């Protein structure tokens, strides 16, 4: 791992340290906050080495215990000494991490699975050592086959099985970080930089600065975030946004680092580098979400803490009940059954049930362009029954686009657009930019405006090719003495569709009108249909005029529309709905949406919007596509099902395993649970929970 790597506990994310080790609260192996691509896991290497080096000794001890008497290799007292010698490296070296963690749990007053394993194997081993070295201290009833019964094989096999379980669990847990590793692997290592003299060279990505010109050839990845300054191509952004179709890029369009240039050559200007890129922010958000606690996990943590104390009490009770009331040798039965209770009841599966599901789900969401800020957002999204949604930039593209030109008598639509665009070349207004861009796209030759004047909020005036032009609203036309009655019906119809209308006058005569609108995103109708099908009440709240807002709402089938809404009004709307008992989500992309995003039960920001909005929200849709919200809701429900399945497995496993280990079936069928089988069951429970969580990687969204 690189220097400066921080390690944290998958079950207790508040634990942070600068070196690998075990969590002081639960004993779980600490993991790096951000996984490394080389997949170096010192804990996995260490446990694998301890397991494989001592496995032959464990097998020999087990064979002697099972068949030593029948083979007559040695007398039984000598066999006890041989088992002791063979078991020493298994227990004291291979099992040392378990005893160390168990001791830490006592020091920190945080009983956990290692407390139980340490007590169980330690009791079996110490009893066996004393029985071998000083058998005379035990009553005659403890004698069996010429020696006091020993259980070195139980301690050795349990330690080997626990090591094997840890190795398998560590490997499985490493797969929960596969999403982050795949994201980290997307970034190219170098960029082709264009120098001031036009020369080009390949430089490490760390040497790229803001403002550098970079060339991206076909088949290469975009090195950093920036804007196209030359060329055109189709860029595959599916790895970050989930959008399967390559996106067309030309001069002025934004590029996201780590996406793939599929066809044409591009020259870009870098705008965001290092930790500021979209890819880096996605990785940070996914890592943060994976290390956060869901509300359900907090309950499981509390239960697990008390659970260990209850298990110790049950083990002690088992020991004495068997000792006083069981068949001979009763105290030996008591010891073995108490050890079985301690081993089988390890709460590792219970502790892993929630965090494993959260880790896999956040990674799965990231590959679909959905970023969760924390685990609570995943758990709460399924409860949402009301969605308050902004219009501009959320339902619509967020930037104006030219709709159409309607000519008056004596003019053509093309001429109206050309004259208006020529005049608007002198304006900085977004509506003007849309008109100019439309004219250029159609290949119209534009003239240079002269004597340009901008009226505050009503339009612009100027001369184009020697003609006096005025472009603006009804007020400007009235000031210019231009009659617009002949086009009023068309203007009102366009406003009813949500468009902004401007009149063009040439030499004091009405030439036509131009309509500019903020087009609805192509994905919006499908997304709204999916949200309504899921039972959500959809409310639109926008700062746009009520006429425009209602027109968009009608087109999209949104019945409840609030127009001319200020940021404080959106906040009050959220509060009112919450007081009515609604669980409210807010989706928006602007600075004006930030207060409502923060107040909502679940805030949803568009990745195409402002940083303020994204910082205020719990969920970010990277592509700004509301269909991602439908996917996020499906994922939220799948996660909850998965967590409940994991908790069910953990509780049922312990609920059935503890009574069996304590000997509850002995009076019925004479069956007792061997501590070695308890060790197998303990390891398998954790592996089952992790494996079940990994199924979320293939859930259909």
């Amino acid at each position: 791992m690189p220097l400066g790597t921080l390690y944290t506990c998958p079950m207790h994310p508040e634990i942070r340290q600068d070196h690998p080790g075990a969590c002081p609260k639960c004993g779980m192996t600490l993991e790096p906050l951000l996984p490394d691509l080389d997949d170096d896991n010192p804990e996995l290497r260490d446990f694998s080495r301890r397991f494989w080096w001592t496995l032959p000794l464990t097998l020999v001890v087990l064979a002697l215990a099972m068949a030593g008497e029948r083979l007559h290799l040695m007398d039984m007292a000598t066999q006890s000494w041989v088992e002791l010698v063979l078991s020493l490296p298994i227990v004291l070296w291979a099992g040392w991490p378990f005893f160390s963690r168990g001791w830490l749990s006592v020091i920190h007053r945080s009983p956990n699975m290692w407390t139980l394993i340490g007590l169980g194997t330690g009791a079996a081993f110490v009893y066996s050592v004393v029985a071998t070295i000083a058998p005379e201290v035990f009553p005659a009833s403890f004698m069996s086959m010429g020696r006091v019964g020993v259980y070195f094989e139980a301690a050795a096999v349990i330690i080997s099985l626990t090591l094997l379980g840890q190795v398998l669990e560590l490997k499985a847990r490493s797969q929960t970080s596969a999403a982050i590793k795949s994201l980290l692997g997307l970034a190219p290592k170098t960029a082709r930089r264009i120098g001031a003299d036009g020369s080009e060279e390949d430089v490490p990505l760390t040497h790229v600065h803001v403002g550098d010109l970079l060339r991206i050839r076909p088949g290469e990845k975009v090195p950093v975030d920036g804007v196209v300054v030359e060329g055109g191509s189709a860029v595959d952004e599916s790895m970050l946004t989930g959008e399967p179709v390559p996106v067309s890029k030309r001069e002025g369009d934004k590029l996201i680092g780590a996406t793939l240039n599929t066809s044409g050559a591009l020259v870009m200007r870098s705008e965001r580098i290092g930790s500021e890129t979209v890819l880096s922010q996605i990785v940070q958000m996914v890592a943060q979400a994976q290390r956060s606690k869901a509300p359900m996990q907090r309950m499981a943590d509390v239960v697990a803490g008390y659970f260990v104390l209850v298990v110790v009490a049950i083990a002690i009770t088992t020991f004495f009940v068997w000792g006083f009331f069981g068949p001979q040798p009763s105290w030996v039965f008591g010891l073995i059954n108490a050890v079985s209770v301690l081993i089988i009841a390890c709460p590792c599966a219970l502790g892993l049930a929630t965090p494993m599901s959260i880790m896999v789900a956040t990674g799965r969401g990231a590959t679909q362009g959905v970023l969760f800020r924390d685990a609570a957002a995943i758990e709460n999204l399924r409860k949402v029954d009301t969605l308050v949604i902004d219009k501009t930039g959320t339902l619509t593209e967020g930037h104006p686009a030219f709709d159409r030109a309607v000519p008056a008598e004596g003019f053509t639509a093309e001429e109206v657009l050309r004259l208006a665009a020529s005049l608007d070349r002198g304006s900085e207004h977004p509506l003007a930019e849309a008109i100019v861009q439309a004219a250029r796209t159609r290949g119209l030759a534009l003239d240079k405006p002269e004597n340009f004047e901008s009226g505050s909020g009503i339009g612009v005036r100027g001369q184009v090719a020697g003609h006096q032009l005025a472009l603006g609203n009804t007020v400007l036309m009235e000031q210019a003495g231009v009659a617009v009655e002949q086009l009023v019906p068309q203007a009102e119809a366009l406003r009813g569709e949500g468009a902004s209308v401007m009149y063009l006058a040439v030499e004091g005569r009405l030439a036509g009108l131009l309509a500019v609108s903020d087009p609805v995103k192509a994905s919006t109708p499908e997304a709204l249909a999916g949200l309504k099908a899921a039972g959500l009440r959809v409310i639109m709240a926008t700062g746009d005029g009520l006429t425009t807002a209602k027109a968009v709402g009608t087109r999209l089938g949104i019945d409840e529309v609030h127009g001319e809404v200020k940021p404080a009004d959106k906040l009050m709307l959220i509060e009112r709905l919450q007081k009515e008992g609604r669980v409210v989500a807010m989706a928006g992309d602007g600075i004006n949406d930030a207060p409502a995003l923060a107040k909502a039960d679940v805030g949803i920001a568009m990745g195409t919007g402002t940083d303020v909005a994204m910082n205020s929200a719990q969920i970010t849709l990277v592509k700004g596509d509301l269909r991602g919200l439908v996917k996020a809701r499906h994922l939220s429900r799948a996660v909850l099902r998965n967590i409940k399945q994991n908790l069910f497995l953990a509780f049922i496993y312990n609920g059935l395993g503890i009574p069996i280990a304590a000997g509850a079936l002995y009076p019925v069928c004479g069956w007792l649970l061997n501590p070695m089988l308890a060790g197998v069951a303990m390891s398998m429970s954790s592996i089952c929970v992790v494996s079940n969580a990994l199924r979320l990687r293939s859930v259909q969204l």
Side-chain angles (χ1 to χ4, degrees):
M1 285 290 173
L3 292 176
T5 298
L6 288 178
Y7 294 81
T8 186
C9 174
M11 292 201 298
H12 297 91
E14 67 274 13
I15 300 297
R16 301 286 175 92
Q17 65 183 43
D18 60 1
H19 58 278
C23 173
K25 287 189 175 182
C26 67
M28 186 70 63
T29 302
L30 298 182
E31 300 176 343
L33 275 174
L34 287 177
D36 193 52
L37 283 176
D38 63 13
D39 205 19
D40 180 38
N41 190 330
E43 202 79 26
L44 177 58
R45 290 201 317 271
D46 179 50
F47 278 10
S48 297
R49 183 173 66 251
R50 292 174 190 267
F51 171 73
W52 289 111
W53 284 16
T54 57
L55 180 61
L57 299 178
T58 298
L59 295 176
V60 173
V61 172
L62 180 62
L64 286 173
M66 298 293 103
E69 180 191 11
R70 283 175 289 175
L71 294 176
H72 302 293
L73 298 175
M74 63 194 82
D75 64 81
M76 298 308 295
T78 303
Q79 181 174 314
S80 294
W81 279 99
V82 173
E83 290 181 28
L84 169 59
V85 172
L86 293 174
S87 299
L88 278 173
I90 303 171
V91 176
L92 298 184
W93 178 69
W96 181 253
F98 307 155
F99 295 111
S100 175
R101 294 176 182 187
W103 177 246
L104 285 175
S105 72
V106 174
I107 293 176
H108 293 285
R109 298 181 181 179
S110 178
N112 53 51
M113 64 174 288
W114 305 112
T115 314
L116 302 182
I117 291 177
L119 283 173
T121 55
F125 183 72
V126 170
Y127 160 81
S128 300
V129 170
V130 175
T132 301
I133 297 175
E136 66 276 3
V137 303
F138 292 93
S141 61
F142 277 63
M143 296 294 293
S144 175
M145 295 177 291
R147 66 171 178 175
V148 175
V150 294
Y151 293 92
F152 289 115
E153 82 283 359
V157 171
I158 288 170
I159 286 174
S160 290
L161 288 173
T162 304
L163 281 170
L164 176 60
Q166 285 296 293
V167 168
L168 295 176
E169 182 185 314
L170 286 167
K171 287 183 176 180
R173 277 165 52 191
S174 69
Q175 296 180 48
T176 63
S177 300
I180 291 185
K181 290 178 181 178
S182 65
L183 289 171
L184 290 171
L186 291 177
K189 301 295 186 292
T190 62
R192 189 163 187 83
R193 185 167 60 191
I194 303 175
D197 59 354
S199 61
E200 299 182 10
E201 63 173 336
D202 291 324
V203 299
L205 203 61
T206 53
H207 292 184
V208 175
H209 301 92
V210 173
D212 284 352
L213 292 180
L214 308 172
R215 185 177 300 282
I216 311 159
R217 292 164 290 195
E220 292 183 338
K221 290 183 177 180
V222 177
V224 294
D225 295 1
V227 62
V228 178
V229 296
E230 181 184 316
S233 181
V235 176
D236 182 0
E237 298 180 342
S238 60
M239 61 284 294
L240 293 182
T241 65
E243 175 60 51
V245 180
V247 181
S248 177
K249 301 288 183 179
R250 56 174 183 258
E251 185 178 340
D253 288 338
K254 298 288 185 179
L255 292 173
I256 303 175
T259 54
L260 181 66
N261 180 27
T262 62
S263 51
L266 297 171
V267 175
M268 68 172 291
R269 181 175 62 251
S270 63
E271 293 184 337
R272 292 185 176 185
I273 61 175
S275 61
E276 299 298 319
T277 64
V278 169
L279 176 63
S280 295
Q281 291 175 3
I282 289 175
V283 169
Q284 291 293 337
M285 287 186 71
V286 173
Q288 177 182 333
Q290 288 187 341
R291 303 305 178 187
S292 62
K293 278 193 180 184
M296 191 175 292
Q297 184 186 344
R298 298 189 186 101
M299 177 197 70
D301 289 346
V302 173
V303 171
Y306 287 108
F307 178 78
V308 174
L309 299 177
V310 171
V311 168
V312 172
I314 293 174
I316 294 172
T317 302
T318 299
F319 176 71
F320 284 107
V321 169
W322 274 92
F324 286 117
F325 304 107
Q328 293 299 322
S330 60
W331 292 103
V332 174
F333 278 126
L335 174 66
I336 298 307
N337 290 334
V339 169
S340 295
V341 168
L342 291 171
I343 298 302
I344 202 170
C346 286
C348 181
L350 179 61
L352 287 172
T354 299
M356 290 299 102
S357 298
I358 295 298
M359 289 184 71
V360 178
T362 49
R364 173 71 169 140
T367 62
Q368 297 295 309
V370 180
L371 304 182
F372 294 96
R373 181 175 296 279
D374 52 39
I378 300 177
E379 190 170 327
N380 291 335
L381 183 58
R382 67 180 179 87
K383 304 174 186 176
V384 169
D385 55 26
T386 304
L387 174 64
V388 177
I389 192 165
D390 178 50
K391 180 183 79 71
T392 306
T394 305
L395 294 172
T396 64
E397 295 289 353
H399 51 80
F402 175 74
D403 188 335
R404 72 191 74 172
V406 179
E409 186 177 350
F411 293 87
T412 64
E414 184 177 278
E415 186 178 9
V416 170
L417 175 59
R418 186 186 69 79
L419 290 172
S422 297
L423 180 61
D424 267 339
R425 289 178 66 186
S427 174
E428 299 286 338
H429 197 280
L431 297 181
E433 183 180 348
I435 292 173
V436 173
Q437 182 64 40
R440 286 175 173 165
T441 301
R442 289 163 173 75
L444 302 180
L446 303 183
D447 296 316
K448 183 177 180 180
E450 298 177 353
N451 301 324
F452 181 83
E453 297 178 8
S454 178
S456 77
I458 61 173
V460 295
R461 300 171 187 260
Q463 288 186 351
V464 173
H467 298 287
Q468 187 66 36
L469 271 60
L471 177 65
N473 60 18
T474 307
V475 175
L476 180 62
M477 294 298 106
E478 289 176 352
Q479 291 180 0
V482 178
V484 298
E485 286 77 7
Q486 61 173 305
L487 294 182
V488 166
Q490 293 93 323
E492 289 302 316
L494 289 167
R495 289 192 184 100
E497 296 176 5
S500 297
V501 175
M502 293 159 284
Y503 293 102
L504 175 68
V506 179
E507 298 292 355
R509 176 189 170 197
L510 182 65
L513 62 79
L514 299 98
V516 176
S517 62
D518 184 4
V520 172
K521 293 178 180 178
S523 60
T524 294
E526 179 186 343
L528 290 177
L531 293 169
K532 289 180 179 179
L536 267 66
R537 171 187 174 188
V538 180
I539 301 171
M540 185 171 75
T542 176
D544 285 1
L546 189 57
T547 301
T548 301
K550 285 185 174 180
V552 174
T554 300
R555 192 188 319 170
L556 294 175
I558 301 175
D559 299 325
E560 191 170 345
V561 175
H562 299 265
E564 300 177 3
V565 176
K566 298 181 178 65
D569 298 327
K570 290 184 181 180
L571 183 61
M572 290 173 62
L573 175 61
I574 299 291
E575 291 175 340
R576 176 172 63 79
L577 290 167
Q578 290 173 331
K579 287 178 181 178
E580 293 174 0
R582 295 279 184 171
V583 181
V584 185
M586 169 69 194
D589 76 324
I591 295 174
N592 62 329
D593 296 318
L597 289 170
K599 179 62 179 175
D601 296 289
V602 179
I604 303 156
M606 302 295 111
T608 50
T610 64
D611 291 341
V612 174
M614 285 183 277
N615 291 334
S616 302
Q618 291 174 290
I619 299 174
T620 298
L621 306 180
V622 176
K623 188 68 175 176
D625 186 341
L626 279 175
R627 288 177 298 184
L629 182 54
V630 180
K631 295 179 180 179
R633 189 170 169 83
H634 287 322
L635 184 59
S636 174
R637 289 181 170 177
V639 169
L640 186 71
R641 285 196 304 271
N642 194 266
I643 290 175
K644 286 182 177 179
Q645 291 165 359
N646 287 344
L647 291 173
F648 176 80
L649 288 172
F651 279 118
I652 289 297
Y653 157 80
N654 285 304
L656 295 177
I658 291 175
I660 294 174
L665 295 180
Y666 186 80
V668 179
C669 59
W671 193 78
L672 293 174
L673 181 65
N674 189 294
M676 292 182 288
L677 294 178
V680 173
M682 179 268 297
S683 297
M684 290 306 299
S685 67
S686 299
I687 294 169
C688 285
V689 164
V690 176
S691 300
N692 187 55
L694 289 172
R695 292 193 307 112
L696 287 171
R697 294 188 300 179
S698 58
V699 67
Q700 294 296 319
L701 299 179

